[in-house]
Amino acid sequence: MEKSANKIIVILFLLLLLLPAGTLGQKRHGDLDIALLGDSNTWIAGDDCSQPKGWPYWFEKKFQPRSIANYSRSGATWTNTANTVRSLEAYSEILDDNNVVYNQIARLIADVDNGGTAAPQVIIISAGTNDAWFQKRRPGVFSETPAQAFANTDALITGLKPSEVLSLALSVRYGCELLMLRFPDAQIVLLTPTQATVCGYNPIRETADIIEECGRRLSIATIAMEGGSGTYRAIEYVKKTHTSDGAHTNPDGARRHGYFIANQLESILLF
């Protein structure tokens, strides 16, 4: 009888060894609803996050939330323009005055209010590459430092029009405060942009620094994608390894990003 029991234990142990890497100890988050906002590297996973060339596909597999709603758009920026207005219907997959995180936030709030989307417990915002890349189309992007954008913290700035919020730093504050006001119990997480060959290293670094500093001033966690996503500008110049074009992930790059984000979120999750 004892020998049979020992055989069963050995068999079970061997079966555990055959499980895919990452299965053991993997925590499921079946009680969490997540909303994603951002630009093309989030958008290329598709609205249902079913496309493996985008990091949300791999993130969902690793993190296993109850639901995940993707509001990102290709071409989106954090930074608004003097012509940006609130629009739930405007659609663009390229740079446009209304293709901004602000309008993704407006759509998310409208969908939750209408019952079309679950109120998220976690909101992940991944944007900034286009802000660094298309500075001529976003002339105010670096016009304010985070210190200047947060000079007055006695009140929220959510009463401003988006056309009055023209710098990256102020746009990050504005968007996050809108989310904090509507979803006070949600945990907001900011992602900084990854390295890319489509624009210089310094604009990406400056953009990442601004987003991270705004996060600190808002008590919002930031995941530094440049510091651990595994996408390196120097390598992509020589051979497209984790991107298809120097900016957008291929499936291997997306897998690295998705798993990295899932692991980082696990360590900062408040729920």
Side-chain angles (χ1 to χ4, degrees), residues 69-140:
N70 191 353
Y71 284 84
S72 62
R73 289 278 173 84
S74 175
T77 62
W78 265 113
T79 310
N80 302 314
T81 78
N83 296 315
T84 300
V85 296
R86 182 179 185 275
S87 176
L88 302 180
E89 294 78 25
Y91 187 90
S92 177
E93 295 177 8
I94 59 174
L95 200 72
D96 183 83
D97 289 326
N98 290 324
N99 190 2
V100 291
V101 170
Y102 164 78
N103 273 323
Q104 296 177 27
I105 293 170
R107 290 196 296 273
L108 169 62
I109 291 174
D111 281 356
V112 172
D113 288 347
N114 294 331
T117 297
Q121 290 82 41
V122 179
I123 302 170
I124 301 174
I125 311 175
S126 174
T129 299
N130 294 324
D131 300 75
W133 188 1
F134 298 105
Q135 294 180 44
K136 290 183 178 179
R137 298 282 299 278
R138 298 291 187 267

Side-chain angles (χ1 to χ4, degrees), residues 37-49:
L37 313 176
D39 56 28
S40 53
N41 267 321
T42 306
W43 174 82
I44 57 176
D47 291 343
D48 58 356
C49 300

Side-chain angles (χ1 to χ4, degrees), residues 109-173:
I109 291 174
D111 281 356
V112 172
D113 288 347
N114 294 331
T117 297
Q121 290 82 41
V122 179
I123 302 170
I124 301 174
I125 311 175
S126 174
T129 299
N130 294 324
D131 300 75
W133 188 1
F134 298 105
Q135 294 180 44
K136 290 183 178 179
R137 298 282 299 278
R138 298 291 187 267
V141 58
F142 297 134
S143 62
E144 285 181 296
T145 64
Q148 291 169 327
F150 285 83
N152 181 7
T153 56
D154 291 337
L156 300 178
I157 62 169
T158 52
L160 296 175
K161 296 178 181 178
S163 57
E164 298 175 301
V165 181
L166 302 178
S167 70
L168 170 62
L170 201 62
S171 295
V172 173
R173 178 184 175 184

Side-chain angles (χ1 to χ4, degrees), residues 206-221:
E206 185 174 4
T207 299
D209 287 345
I210 289 172
I211 293 170
E212 194 164 10
E213 178 60 22
C214 288
R216 277 194 291 269
R217 290 173 179 269
L218 291 161
S219 295
I220 290 175

Side-chain angles (χ1 to χ4, degrees), residues 192-195 201 204-205 208 223-232 260:
T192 62
T194 58
Q195 294 185 17
Y201 172 79
I204 290 288
R205 182 68 263 160
I223 296 175
M225 294 300 292
E226 185 185 11
S229 66
T231 297
Y232 308 109
F260 175 69

Side-chain angles (χ1 to χ4, degrees), residues 47-66:
D47 291 343
D48 58 356
C49 300
S50 64
Q51 301 302 313
K53 61 184 177 180
W55 68 263
Y57 170 87
W58 302 97
F59 169 82
E60 184 175 23
K61 284 186 173 297
K62 179 77 171 176
F63 204 73
Q64 300 183 45
R66 177 166 54 199

